[in-house]
Amino acid sequence: MTAAYLREEHHMFRYAFRKFLEKEAYPYFSQWEKQGIIPRAFWTKMGENGFLCPWVDETYGGLNADFAYSVVINEELEKVGSSMVGIGLHNDIAVPYIAAYGTEEQKQKWLPKCVSGEIITAIAMTEPGAGSDLAGISTTAIRDGNFYIVNGQKTFITNGIHADVVIVVCKTNPNAKPAHQGISLLVIERDTPGFTRGRKLEKVGLHAQDTAELFFTDAKVPAENLLGEEGKGFYYLMEKLQQERLVVAIAAQTAAEVMFDLTKRYVKQRTAFGQRISEFQTVQFRLAEMATEIALGRTFLDDVIEQHILGRDVVTKVSMAKWWITEMAKRVAAESMQLHGGYGYMEEYEIARRYRDIPVSAIYAGTNEIMKMIIAKNLDLV
Ligand SMILES: Cc1cc2nc3c(=O)[nH]c(=O)nc-3n(C[C@H](O)[C@H](O)[C@H](O)COP(=O)(O)OP(=O)(O)OC[C@H]3O[C@@H](n4cnc5c(N)ncnc54)[C@H](O)[C@@H]3O)c2cc1C
């Protein structure tokens, strides 16, 4: 059964996108994992074929596509491999800030290039000393005439190496009380004096995904690069983080579905004690349990996606989907590896990579503990 929000045109789009990925991504993915990065040339091809930010308004080169197209893109990218997440971050997490809060000049300057792939974006919130506690960041942007002078450091930034445009969360008023009212969003471009990149970080998983440190030392950023109003950055983040968490839930659900299919195929062909291991009842029950959890995740997720498309307030439900589905996908990964036996621990089996890739979904876009704090807050318990 397919979700109600997917219509004929979305199915056709999925078919075309999958064909594109079969030609341009699947054959090269292992190589990208070894190289530790997805080449820019692939981003450009994505742009040329209309697969980057198709939701952007036609005025700025997009297709005005609804969020169901984004769901299709994120699902199909995840099927190739979790390291494709940086593309989803550009499409549905970073660029929406420019579209929602940018001035007309900012939108004209950046959006068409975000759609074509000439500009790759990142969003930099996390610092070495502050992740979950976003209001505790220490990067400052102090106004000096027509510029902001930015000082600080960001870490774990997805697309950090490739990014031409980084939306940097910083404090324009470090003395604000409460602290979150001093936070603003600044767009910092590649060649800004004082902006440098650190190492490409080596991670447990997501090997082809580019994750880096960013440094700002008296970086001179034109004042016209402020996104929206000064002091409103925290509110903009609270608004846009919902879609970010939804994208993570979509990827984790898809990963669980992929891992289940891999495992089902494996247990049907592997034999032990003179029979296929899928014939042992204990194996059947484990697959039955996984199938049940995956079906529950899918039903809940599709409902949240539908509510999001309708523009409803999904804060609580998105937080529920994000923590539960990512934890479910972690359980599926562990069971799937176990059911592959020793082969599941070998790099040539896809389940090994999937097992490494999935845990971060419970950490980024707000940890699962933070998701439960949001849910609890909205339960009106005190
Ligand atoms: C691969 C990867 C890509 C990333 N990409 C980006 C990106 O593009 N942009 C970006 O800005 N960031 C990015 N991040 C950072 C990510 O969002 C943070 O790592 C995450 O928000 C957690 O912050 P932290 O690492 O500082 O952990 P901490 O905040 O230090 O948390 C450590 C532990 O304490 C728990 N904890 C913290 N506060 C509480 C509390 N109040 N109650 C209970 N438990 C609590 C946390 O849940 C966690 O388990 C990325 C991270 C990774 C690993």
Side-chain angles (χ1 to χ4, degrees):
M1 207 178 79
T2 67
Y5 57 83
L6 292 173
R7 298 184 301 273
E8 186 54 30
E9 60 263 34
H10 300 114
H11 296 304
M12 284 162 62
F13 180 80
R14 186 190 295 277
Y15 179 78
F17 187 44
R18 199 176 287 166
K19 287 269 158 232
F20 168 83
L21 293 172
E22 279 166 7
K23 181 161 174 272
E24 304 291 351
Y26 280 97
Y28 308 107
F29 189 72
S30 310
Q31 196 184 321
W32 297 345
E33 285 276 293
K34 287 198 185 82
Q35 288 166 351
I37 201 146
I38 294 167
R40 273 194 91 101
F42 176 73
W43 285 80
T44 313
K45 282 181 195 152
M46 286 278 295
E48 281 165 1
N49 287 277
F51 300 131
L52 292 180
C53 311
W55 53 267
V56 163
D57 201 273
E58 284 171 12
T59 326
Y60 310 106
L63 300 167
N64 246 336
D66 61 39
F67 186 71
Y69 287 91
S70 295
V71 176
V72 170
I73 293 175
N74 286 306
E75 287 179 348
E76 293 305 315
L77 288 174
E78 177 62 40
K79 287 179 196 168
V80 179
S82 305
S83 290
M84 305 293 265
V85 66
I87 298 170
L89 179 130
H90 169 82
N91 280 355
D92 299 308
I93 297 170
V95 180
Y97 285 93
I98 300 174
Y101 307 114
T103 61
E104 188 52 39
E105 293 75 50
Q106 289 174 332
K107 289 196 263 188
Q108 281 181 15
K109 183 175 178 194
W110 294 311
L111 288 181
K113 290 183 177 170
C114 293
V115 173
S116 68
E118 284 163 88
I119 284 181
I120 295 176
T121 58
I123 174 144
M125 297 174 264
T126 308
E127 301 183 353
S132 303
D133 179 15
L134 201 51
I137 58 159
S138 52
T139 297
T140 53
I142 306 301
R143 185 79 187 245
D144 181 12
N146 291 332
F147 292 90
Y148 284 99
I149 306 301
V150 181
N151 281 290
Q153 182 185 341
K154 298 288 178 181
T155 193
F156 307 149
I157 305 308
T158 302
N159 298 337
I161 298 292
H162 273 329
D164 306 289
V165 154
V166 185
I167 297 162
V168 180
V169 180
C170 46
K171 282 196 171 157
T172 40
N173 180 2
N175 302 317
K177 283 195 178 65
H180 70 264
Q181 287 181 358
I183 290 181
S184 303
L185 306 183
L186 264 192
V187 177
I188 303 193
E189 295 168 279
R190 173 173 281 284
D191 295 323
T192 304
F195 167 28
T196 53
R197 286 152 224 261
R199 303 172 289 141
K200 185 161 72 58
L201 301 167
E202 287 185 16
K203 306 184 292 301
V204 170
L206 302 184
H207 288 165
Q209 186 226 5
D210 135 27
T211 314
E213 296 171 314
L214 309 177
F215 299 97
F216 305 98
T217 311
D218 289 330
K220 220 174 155 191
V221 182
E224 70 246 26
N225 282 19
L226 177 72
L227 211 48
E229 288 176 47
E230 240 191 45
K232 292 272 172 69
F234 196 80
Y235 302 99
Y236 300 154
L237 290 164
M238 291 306 111
E239 161 111 20
K240 292 285 167 212
L241 279 169
Q242 307 318 315
Q243 184 159 301
E244 172 165 356
R245 289 164 187 163
L246 188 52
V247 167
V248 173
I250 291 167
Q253 176 68 33
T254 308
E257 290 165 359
V258 169
M259 290 186 280
F260 179 83
D261 288 345
L262 290 171
T263 307
K264 185 175 156 189
R265 218 175 306 141
Y266 185 79
V267 296
K268 282 174 78 171
Q269 55 87 19
R270 178 73 177 169
T271 56
F273 299 97
Q275 65 187 77
R276 291 181 302 163
I277 58 172
S278 62
E279 292 173 49
F280 295 119
Q281 196 181 50
T282 175
V283 172
Q284 291 176 353
F285 278 17
R286 285 152 85 181
L287 281 148
E289 284 163 11
M290 280 200 270
T292 307
E293 288 205 82
I294 289 169
L296 288 171
R298 176 49 75 184
T299 307
F300 187 68
L301 179 66
D302 280 344
D303 178 56
V304 186
I305 293 170
E306 199 153 344
Q307 302 294 316
H308 181 64
I309 290 172
L310 291 170
R312 306 242 166 92
D313 176 356
V314 288
V315 174
T316 306
K317 282 193 165 183
V318 162
S319 306
M320 290 173 172
K322 201 276 184 182
W323 87 256
W324 193 84
I325 291 172
T326 58
E327 293 295 340
M328 178 271 287
K330 281 164 62 179
R331 286 193 292 278
V332 169
E335 273 292 1
S336 296
M337 178 180 273
Q338 186 68 17
L339 287 169
H340 275 74
Y343 291 100
Y345 204 65
M346 297 299 128
E347 280 296 324
E348 67 244 49
Y349 280 74
E350 185 177 336
I351 192 61
R353 163 166 63 77
R354 296 263 169 202
Y355 179 87
R356 278 195 268 107
D357 287 346
I358 203 68
V360 74
S361 62
I363 296 170
Y364 58 25
T367 66
N368 286 1
E369 290 74 25
I370 298 299
M371 294 307 100
K372 290 175 197 173
M373 280 169 62
I374 295 168
I375 298 163
K377 189 169 156 238
N378 294 345
L379 288 177
D380 199 18
L381 296 172
V382 283

mmCIF file with all atom_site columns, all heavy atoms in Angstrom, residues 194-215:
data_model
loop_
_atom_site.group_PDB
_atom_site.id
_atom_site.type_symbol
_atom_site.label_atom_id
_atom_site.label_alt_id
_atom_site.label_comp_id
_atom_site.label_asym_id
_atom_site.label_entity_id
_atom_site.label_seq_id
_atom_site.pdbx_PDB_ins_code
_atom_site.Cartn_x
_atom_site.Cartn_y
_atom_site.Cartn_z
_atom_site.occupancy
_atom_site.B_iso_or_equiv
_atom_site.pdbx_formal_charge
_atom_site.auth_seq_id
_atom_site.auth_comp_id
_atom_site.auth_asym_id
_atom_site.auth_atom_id
_atom_site.pdbx_PDB_model_num
ATOM 1   N N   . GLY A 1 194 ? 38.912 35.217 6.574  1.00 0.00 ? 194 GLY A N   1
ATOM 2   C CA  . GLY A 1 194 ? 38.806 34.804 7.975  1.00 0.00 ? 194 GLY A CA  1
ATOM 3   C C   . GLY A 1 194 ? 38.003 33.519 8.182  1.00 0.00 ? 194 GLY A C   1
ATOM 4   O O   . GLY A 1 194 ? 37.892 33.025 9.295  1.00 0.00 ? 194 GLY A O   1
ATOM 5   N N   . PHE A 1 195 ? 37.435 32.982 7.085  1.00 0.00 ? 195 PHE A N   1
ATOM 6   C CA  . PHE A 1 195 ? 36.675 31.720 7.177  1.00 0.00 ? 195 PHE A CA  1
ATOM 7   C C   . PHE A 1 195 ? 37.545 30.596 6.611  1.00 0.00 ? 195 PHE A C   1
ATOM 8   O O   . PHE A 1 195 ? 37.939 30.633 5.454  1.00 0.00 ? 195 PHE A O   1
ATOM 9   C CB  . PHE A 1 195 ? 35.358 31.862 6.391  1.00 0.00 ? 195 PHE A CB  1
ATOM 10  C CG  . PHE A 1 195 ? 34.621 30.558 6.129  1.00 0.00 ? 195 PHE A CG  1
ATOM 11  C CD1 . PHE A 1 195 ? 34.731 29.466 6.990  1.00 0.00 ? 195 PHE A CD1 1
ATOM 12  C CD2 . PHE A 1 195 ? 33.783 30.451 5.023  1.00 0.00 ? 195 PHE A CD2 1
ATOM 13  C CE1 . PHE A 1 195 ? 34.046 28.286 6.751  1.00 0.00 ? 195 PHE A CE1 1
ATOM 14  C CE2 . PHE A 1 195 ? 33.094 29.270 4.766  1.00 0.00 ? 195 PHE A CE2 1
ATOM 15  C CZ  . PHE A 1 195 ? 33.227 28.183 5.632  1.00 0.00 ? 195 PHE A CZ  1
ATOM 16  N N   . THR A 1 196 ? 37.866 29.609 7.451  1.00 0.00 ? 196 THR A N   1
ATOM 17  C CA  . THR A 1 196 ? 38.651 28.458 6.979  1.00 0.00 ? 196 THR A CA  1
ATOM 18  C C   . THR A 1 196 ? 37.980 27.156 7.423  1.00 0.00 ? 196 THR A C   1
ATOM 19  O O   . THR A 1 196 ? 37.161 27.152 8.349  1.00 0.00 ? 196 THR A O   1
ATOM 20  C CB  . THR A 1 196 ? 40.093 28.474 7.549  1.00 0.00 ? 196 THR A CB  1
ATOM 21  O OG1 . THR A 1 196 ? 40.002 28.604 8.971  1.00 0.00 ? 196 THR A OG1 1
ATOM 22  C CG2 . THR A 1 196 ? 40.929 29.605 6.989  1.00 0.00 ? 196 THR A CG2 1
ATOM 23  N N   . ARG A 1 197 ? 38.367 26.102 6.726  1.00 0.00 ? 197 ARG A N   1
ATOM 24  C CA  . ARG A 1 197 ? 37.822 24.783 7.083  1.00 0.00 ? 197 ARG A CA  1
ATOM 25  C C   . ARG A 1 197 ? 38.897 23.950 7.754  1.00 0.00 ? 197 ARG A C   1
ATOM 26  O O   . ARG A 1 197 ? 40.073 24.047 7.390  1.00 0.00 ? 197 ARG A O   1
ATOM 27  C CB  . ARG A 1 197 ? 37.395 24.030 5.808  1.00 0.00 ? 197 ARG A CB  1
ATOM 28  C CG  . ARG A 1 197 ? 36.123 24.573 5.213  1.00 0.00 ? 197 ARG A CG  1
ATOM 29  C CD  . ARG A 1 197 ? 36.087 24.336 3.730  1.00 0.00 ? 197 ARG A CD  1
ATOM 30  N NE  . ARG A 1 197 ? 35.623 25.528 3.060  1.00 0.00 ? 197 ARG A NE  1
ATOM 31  C CZ  . ARG A 1 197 ? 34.374 25.727 2.645  1.00 0.00 ? 197 ARG A CZ  1
ATOM 32  N NH1 . ARG A 1 197 ? 33.483 24.783 2.781  1.00 0.00 ? 197 ARG A NH1 1
ATOM 33  N NH2 . ARG A 1 197 ? 34.028 26.853 2.076  1.00 0.00 ? 197 ARG A NH2 1
ATOM 34  N N   . GLY A 1 198 ? 38.492 23.126 8.677  1.00 0.00 ? 198 GLY A N   1
ATOM 35  C CA  . GLY A 1 198 ? 39.436 22.225 9.319  1.00 0.00 ? 198 GLY A CA  1
ATOM 36  C C   . GLY A 1 198 ? 39.444 20.887 8.636  1.00 0.00 ? 198 GLY A C   1
ATOM 37  O O   . GLY A 1 198 ? 39.226 20.787 7.422  1.00 0.00 ? 198 GLY A O   1
ATOM 38  N N   . ARG A 1 199 ? 39.661 19.849 9.423  1.00 0.00 ? 199 ARG A N   1
ATOM 39  C CA  . ARG A 1 199 ? 39.748 18.493 8.886  1.00 0.00 ? 199 ARG A CA  1
ATOM 40  C C   . ARG A 1 199 ? 38.394 18.025 8.390  1.00 0.00 ? 199 ARG A C   1
ATOM 41  O O   . ARG A 1 199 ? 37.370 18.425 8.921  1.00 0.00 ? 199 ARG A O   1
ATOM 42  C CB  . ARG A 1 199 ? 40.140 17.527 10.012 1.00 0.00 ? 199 ARG A CB  1
ATOM 43  C CG  . ARG A 1 199 ? 41.383 17.813 10.722 1.00 0.00 ? 199 ARG A CG  1
ATOM 44  C CD  . ARG A 1 199 ? 41.516 16.890 11.919 1.00 0.00 ? 199 ARG A CD  1
ATOM 45  N NE  . ARG A 1 199 ? 40.572 17.193 12.997 1.00 0.00 ? 199 ARG A NE  1
ATOM 46  C CZ  . ARG A 1 199 ? 39.956 16.265 13.731 1.00 0.00 ? 199 ARG A CZ  1
ATOM 47  N NH1 . ARG A 1 199 ? 40.152 14.986 13.482 1.00 0.00 ? 199 ARG A NH1 1
ATOM 48  N NH2 . ARG A 1 199 ? 39.146 16.606 14.712 1.00 0.00 ? 199 ARG A NH2 1
ATOM 49  N N   . LYS A 1 200 ? 38.450 17.104 7.433  1.00 0.00 ? 200 LYS A N   1
ATOM 50  C CA  . LYS A 1 200 ? 37.259 16.322 7.125  1.00 0.00 ? 200 LYS A CA  1
ATOM 51  C C   . LYS A 1 200 ? 37.268 15.224 8.172  1.00 0.00 ? 200 LYS A C   1
ATOM 52  O O   . LYS A 1 200 ? 38.236 14.478 8.299  1.00 0.00 ? 200 LYS A O   1
ATOM 53  C CB  . LYS A 1 200 ? 37.335 15.745 5.706  1.00 0.00 ? 200 LYS A CB  1
ATOM 54  C CG  . LYS A 1 200 ? 36.074 15.023 5.312  1.00 0.00 ? 200 LYS A CG  1
ATOM 55  C CD  . LYS A 1 200 ? 35.973 14.868 3.806  1.00 0.00 ? 200 LYS A CD  1
ATOM 56  C CE  . LYS A 1 200 ? 36.969 13.852 3.275  1.00 0.00 ? 200 LYS A CE  1
ATOM 57  N NZ  . LYS A 1 200 ? 36.828 12.517 3.875  1.00 0.00 ? 200 LYS A NZ  1
ATOM 58  N N   . LEU A 1 201 ? 36.223 15.166 8.969  1.00 0.00 ? 201 LEU A N   1
ATOM 59  C CA  . LEU A 1 201 ? 36.249 14.284 10.143 1.00 0.00 ? 201 LEU A CA  1
ATOM 60  C C   . LEU A 1 201 ? 36.064 12.814 9.768  1.00 0.00 ? 201 LEU A C   1
ATOM 61  O O   . LEU A 1 201 ? 35.288 12.496 8.859  1.00 0.00 ? 201 LEU A O   1
ATOM 62  C CB  . LEU A 1 201 ? 35.165 14.732 11.129 1.00 0.00 ? 201 LEU A CB  1
ATOM 63  C CG  . LEU A 1 201 ? 35.336 16.184 11.607 1.00 0.00 ? 201 LEU A CG  1
ATOM 64  C CD1 . LEU A 1 201 ? 34.082 16.677 12.319 1.00 0.00 ? 201 LEU A CD1 1
ATOM 65  C CD2 . LEU A 1 201 ? 36.535 16.317 12.527 1.00 0.00 ? 201 LEU A CD2 1
ATOM 66  N N   . GLU A 1 202 ? 36.793 11.950 10.472 1.00 0.00 ? 202 GLU A N   1
ATOM 67  C CA  . GLU A 1 202 ? 36.669 10.506 10.234 1.00 0.00 ? 202 GLU A CA  1
ATOM 68  C C   . GLU A 1 202 ? 35.623 9.937  11.172 1.00 0.00 ? 202 GLU A C   1
ATOM 69  O O   . GLU A 1 202 ? 35.720 10.088 12.388 1.00 0.00 ? 202 GLU A O   1
ATOM 70  C CB  . GLU A 1 202 ? 38.018 9.824  10.456 1.00 0.00 ? 202 GLU A CB  1
ATOM 71  C CG  . GLU A 1 202 ? 38.953 10.155 9.321  1.00 0.00 ? 202 GLU A CG  1
ATOM 72  C CD  . GLU A 1 202 ? 40.276 9.434  9.398  1.00 0.00 ? 202 GLU A CD  1
ATOM 73  O OE1 . GLU A 1 202 ? 40.389 8.461  10.148 1.00 0.00 ? 202 GLU A OE1 1
ATOM 74  O OE2 . GLU A 1 202 ? 41.184 9.891  8.695  1.00 0.00 ? 202 GLU A OE2 1
ATOM 75  N N   . LYS A 1 203 ? 34.631 9.284  10.586 1.00 0.00 ? 203 LYS A N   1
ATOM 76  C CA  . LYS A 1 203 ? 33.471 8.866  11.366 1.00 0.00 ? 203 LYS A CA  1
ATOM 77  C C   . LYS A 1 203 ? 33.331 7.340  11.407 1.00 0.00 ? 203 LYS A C   1
ATOM 78  O O   . LYS A 1 203 ? 33.879 6.634  10.558 1.00 0.00 ? 203 LYS A O   1
ATOM 79  C CB  . LYS A 1 203 ? 32.208 9.477  10.759 1.00 0.00 ? 203 LYS A CB  1
ATOM 80  C CG  . LYS A 1 203 ? 32.267 10.989 10.588 1.00 0.00 ? 203 LYS A CG  1
ATOM 81  C CD  . LYS A 1 203 ? 30.974 11.570 10.079 1.00 0.00 ? 203 LYS A CD  1
ATOM 82  C CE  . LYS A 1 203 ? 30.609 11.202 8.667  1.00 0.00 ? 203 LYS A CE  1
ATOM 83  N NZ  . LYS A 1 203 ? 31.564 11.583 7.640  1.00 0.00 ? 203 LYS A NZ  1
ATOM 84  N N   . VAL A 1 204 ? 32.530 6.859  12.371 1.00 0.00 ? 204 VAL A N   1
ATOM 85  C CA  . VAL A 1 204 ? 32.231 5.426  12.473 1.00 0.00 ? 204 VAL A CA  1
ATOM 86  C C   . VAL A 1 204 ? 31.553 4.946  11.186 1.00 0.00 ? 204 VAL A C   1
ATOM 87  O O   . VAL A 1 204 ? 31.861 3.880  10.661 1.00 0.00 ? 204 VAL A O   1
ATOM 88  C CB  . VAL A 1 204 ? 31.298 5.171  13.697 1.00 0.00 ? 204 VAL A CB  1
ATOM 89  C CG1 . VAL A 1 204 ? 30.759 3.749  13.697 1.00 0.00 ? 204 VAL A CG1 1
ATOM 90  C CG2 . VAL A 1 204 ? 32.041 5.464  14.989 1.00 0.00 ? 204 VAL A CG2 1
ATOM 91  N N   . GLY A 1 205 ? 30.611 5.750  10.708 1.00 0.00 ? 205 GLY A N   1
ATOM 92  C CA  . GLY A 1 205 ? 29.877 5.389  9.487  1.00 0.00 ? 205 GLY A CA  1
ATOM 93  C C   . GLY A 1 205 ? 29.751 6.597  8.579  1.00 0.00 ? 205 GLY A C   1
ATOM 94  O O   . GLY A 1 205 ? 30.507 7.561  8.710  1.00 0.00 ? 205 GLY A O   1
ATOM 95  N N   . LEU A 1 206 ? 28.799 6.551  7.663  1.00 0.00 ? 206 LEU A N   1
ATOM 96  C CA  . LEU A 1 206 ? 28.577 7.645  6.692  1.00 0.00 ? 206 LEU A CA  1
ATOM 97  C C   . LEU A 1 206 ? 29.907 8.073  6.075  1.00 0.00 ? 206 LEU A C   1
ATOM 98  O O   . LEU A 1 206 ? 30.234 9.271  6.037  1.00 0.00 ? 206 LEU A O   1
ATOM 99  C CB  . LEU A 1 206 ? 27.919 8.864  7.353  1.00 0.00 ? 206 LEU A CB  1
ATOM 100 C CG  . LEU A 1 206 ? 26.571 8.708  8.052  1.00 0.00 ? 206 LEU A CG  1
ATOM 101 C CD1 . LEU A 1 206 ? 26.069 10.059 8.533  1.00 0.00 ? 206 LEU A CD1 1
ATOM 102 C CD2 . LEU A 1 206 ? 25.524 8.081  7.152  1.00 0.00 ? 206 LEU A CD2 1
ATOM 103 N N   . HIS A 1 207 ? 30.660 7.089  5.590  1.00 0.00 ? 207 HIS A N   1
ATOM 104 C CA  . HIS A 1 207 ? 32.026 7.393  5.148  1.00 0.00 ? 207 HIS A CA  1
ATOM 105 C C   . HIS A 1 207 ? 32.098 8.344  3.955  1.00 0.00 ? 207 HIS A C   1
ATOM 106 O O   . HIS A 1 207 ? 33.052 9.098  3.830  1.00 0.00 ? 207 HIS A O   1
ATOM 107 C CB  . HIS A 1 207 ? 32.773 6.082  4.863  1.00 0.00 ? 207 HIS A CB  1
ATOM 108 C CG  . HIS A 1 207 ? 33.122 5.346  6.123  1.00 0.00 ? 207 HIS A CG  1
ATOM 109 N ND1 . HIS A 1 207 ? 33.521 4.043  6.154  1.00 0.00 ? 207 HIS A ND1 1
ATOM 110 C CD2 . HIS A 1 207 ? 33.120 5.748  7.418  1.00 0.00 ? 207 HIS A CD2 1
ATOM 111 C CE1 . HIS A 1 207 ? 33.742 3.670  7.412  1.00 0.00 ? 207 HIS A CE1 1
ATOM 112 N NE2 . HIS A 1 207 ? 33.499 4.692  8.187  1.00 0.00 ? 207 HIS A NE2 1
ATOM 113 N N   . ALA A 1 208 ? 31.126 8.297  3.065  1.00 0.00 ? 208 ALA A N   1
ATOM 114 C CA  . ALA A 1 208 ? 31.191 9.187  1.894  1.00 0.00 ? 208 ALA A CA  1
ATOM 115 C C   . ALA A 1 208 ? 30.615 10.573 2.191  1.00 0.00 ? 208 ALA A C   1
ATOM 116 O O   . ALA A 1 208 ? 30.708 11.475 1.379  1.00 0.00 ? 208 ALA A O   1
ATOM 117 C CB  . ALA A 1 208 ? 30.452 8.569  0.705  1.00 0.00 ? 208 ALA A CB  1
ATOM 118 N N   . GLN A 1 209 ? 30.016 10.712 3.362  1.00 0.00 ? 209 GLN A N   1
ATOM 119 C CA  . GLN A 1 209 ? 29.429 12.003 3.703  1.00 0.00 ? 209 GLN A CA  1
ATOM 120 C C   . GLN A 1 209 ? 30.503 12.924 4.228  1.00 0.00 ? 209 GLN A C   1
ATOM 121 O O   . GLN A 1 209 ? 31.323 12.532 5.064  1.00 0.00 ? 209 GLN A O   1
ATOM 122 C CB  . GLN A 1 209 ? 28.328 11.815 4.756  1.00 0.00 ? 209 GLN A CB  1
ATOM 123 C CG  . GLN A 1 209 ? 27.571 13.084 5.045  1.00 0.00 ? 209 GLN A CG  1
ATOM 124 C CD  . GLN A 1 209 ? 27.381 13.310 6.531  1.00 0.00 ? 209 GLN A CD  1
ATOM 125 O OE1 . GLN A 1 209 ? 27.878 12.580 7.366  1.00 0.00 ? 209 GLN A OE1 1
ATOM 126 N NE2 . GLN A 1 209 ? 26.687 14.366 6.844  1.00 0.00 ? 209 GLN A NE2 1
ATOM 127 N N   . ASP A 1 210 ? 30.482 14.151 3.688  1.00 0.00 ? 210 ASP A N   1
ATOM 128 C CA  . ASP A 1 210 ? 31.524 15.113 4.033  1.00 0.00 ? 210 ASP A CA  1
ATOM 129 C C   . ASP A 1 210 ? 31.110 15.860 5.309  1.00 0.00 ? 210 ASP A C   1
ATOM 130 O O   . ASP A 1 210 ? 30.118 16.560 5.347  1.00 0.00 ? 210 ASP A O   1
ATOM 131 C CB  . ASP A 1 210 ? 31.732 15.959 2.757  1.00 0.00 ? 210 ASP A CB  1
ATOM 132 C CG  . ASP A 1 210 ? 31.834 17.449 2.899  1.00 0.00 ? 210 ASP A CG  1
ATOM 133 O OD1 . ASP A 1 210 ? 32.238 17.928 3.950  1.00 0.00 ? 210 ASP A OD1 1
ATOM 134 O OD2 . ASP A 1 210 ? 31.526 18.131 1.898  1.00 0.00 ? 210 ASP A OD2 1
ATOM 135 N N   . THR A 1 211 ? 31.868 15.649 6.378  1.00 0.00 ? 211 THR A N   1
ATOM 136 C CA  . THR A 1 211 ? 31.566 16.264 7.679  1.00 0.00 ? 211 THR A CA  1
ATOM 137 C C   . THR A 1 211 ? 32.837 16.977 8.150  1.00 0.00 ? 211 THR A C   1
ATOM 138 O O   . THR A 1 211 ? 33.903 16.356 8.179  1.00 0.00 ? 211 THR A O   1
ATOM 139 C CB  . THR A 1 211 ? 31.199 15.177 8.724  1.00 0.00 ? 211 THR A CB  1
ATOM 140 O OG1 . THR A 1 211 ? 30.284 14.264 8.145  1.00 0.00 ? 211 THR A OG1 1
ATOM 141 C CG2 . THR A 1 211 ? 30.591 15.782 9.969  1.00 0.00 ? 211 THR A CG2 1
ATOM 142 N N   . ALA A 1 212 ? 32.728 18.249 8.501  1.00 0.00 ? 212 ALA A N   1
ATOM 143 C CA  . ALA A 1 212 ? 33.964 18.998 8.761  1.00 0.00 ? 212 ALA A CA  1
ATOM 144 C C   . ALA A 1 212 ? 33.817 20.008 9.890  1.00 0.00 ? 212 ALA A C   1
ATOM 145 O O   . ALA A 1 212 ? 32.720 20.315 10.360 1.00 0.00 ? 212 ALA A O   1
ATOM 146 C CB  . ALA A 1 212 ? 34.404 19.713 7.491  1.00 0.00 ? 212 ALA A CB  1
ATOM 147 N N   . GLU A 1 213 ? 34.988 20.518 10.274 1.00 0.00 ? 213 GLU A N   1
ATOM 148 C CA  . GLU A 1 213 ? 35.052 21.631 11.226 1.00 0.00 ? 213 GLU A CA  1
ATOM 149 C C   . GLU A 1 213 ? 35.160 22.935 10.440 1.00 0.00 ? 213 GLU A C   1
ATOM 150 O O   . GLU A 1 213 ? 35.776 22.951 9.372  1.00 0.00 ? 213 GLU A O   1
ATOM 151 C CB  . GLU A 1 213 ? 36.329 21.508 12.069 1.00 0.00 ? 213 GLU A CB  1
ATOM 152 C CG  . GLU A 1 213 ? 36.392 20.296 12.947 1.00 0.00 ? 213 GLU A CG  1
ATOM 153 C CD  . GLU A 1 213 ? 37.782 20.123 13.576 1.00 0.00 ? 213 GLU A CD  1
ATOM 154 O OE1 . GLU A 1 213 ? 38.793 20.257 12.853 1.00 0.00 ? 213 GLU A OE1 1
ATOM 155 O OE2 . GLU A 1 213 ? 37.840 19.866 14.770 1.00 0.00 ? 213 GLU A OE2 1
ATOM 156 N N   . LEU A 1 214 ? 34.608 23.994 10.974 1.00 0.00 ? 214 LEU A N   1
ATOM 157 C CA  . LEU A 1 214 ? 34.707 25.317 10.330 1.00 0.00 ? 214 LEU A CA  1
ATOM 158 C C   . LEU A 1 214 ? 35.249 26.304 11.363 1.00 0.00 ? 214 LEU A C   1
ATOM 159 O O   . LEU A 1 214 ? 34.864 26.246 12.536 1.00 0.00 ? 214 LEU A O   1
ATOM 160 C CB  . LEU A 1 214 ? 33.326 25.789 9.856  1.00 0.00 ? 214 LEU A CB  1
ATOM 161 C CG  . LEU A 1 214 ? 32.484 24.825 9.002  1.00 0.00 ? 214 LEU A CG  1
ATOM 162 C CD1 . LEU A 1 214 ? 31.127 25.458 8.697  1.00 0.00 ? 214 LEU A CD1 1
ATOM 163 C CD2 . LEU A 1 214 ? 33.190 24.464 7.702  1.00 0.00 ? 214 LEU A CD2 1
ATOM 164 N N   . PHE A 1 215 ? 36.112 27.195 10.887 1.00 0.00 ? 215 PHE A N   1
ATOM 165 C CA  . PHE A 1 215 ? 36.708 28.186 11.801 1.00 0.00 ? 215 PHE A CA  1
ATOM 166 C C   . PHE A 1 215 ? 36.452 29.610 11.286 1.00 0.00 ? 215 PHE A C   1
ATOM 167 O O   . PHE A 1 215 ? 36.564 29.873 10.080 1.00 0.00 ? 215 PHE A O   1
ATOM 168 C CB  . PHE A 1 215 ? 38.231 27.981 11.889 1.00 0.00 ? 215 PHE A CB  1
ATOM 169 C CG  . PHE A 1 215 ? 38.604 26.625 12.426 1.00 0.00 ? 215 PHE A CG  1
ATOM 170 C CD1 . PHE A 1 215 ? 38.917 25.592 11.565 1.00 0.00 ? 215 PHE A CD1 1
ATOM 171 C CD2 . PHE A 1 215 ? 38.613 26.390 13.795 1.00 0.00 ? 215 PHE A CD2 1
ATOM 172 C CE1 . PHE A 1 215 ? 39.253 24.336 12.061 1.00 0.00 ? 215 PHE A CE1 1
ATOM 173 C CE2 . PHE A 1 215 ? 38.938 25.139 14.301 1.00 0.00 ? 215 PHE A CE2 1
ATOM 174 C CZ  . PHE A 1 215 ? 39.265 24.108 13.428 1.00 0.00 ? 215 PHE A CZ  1
#
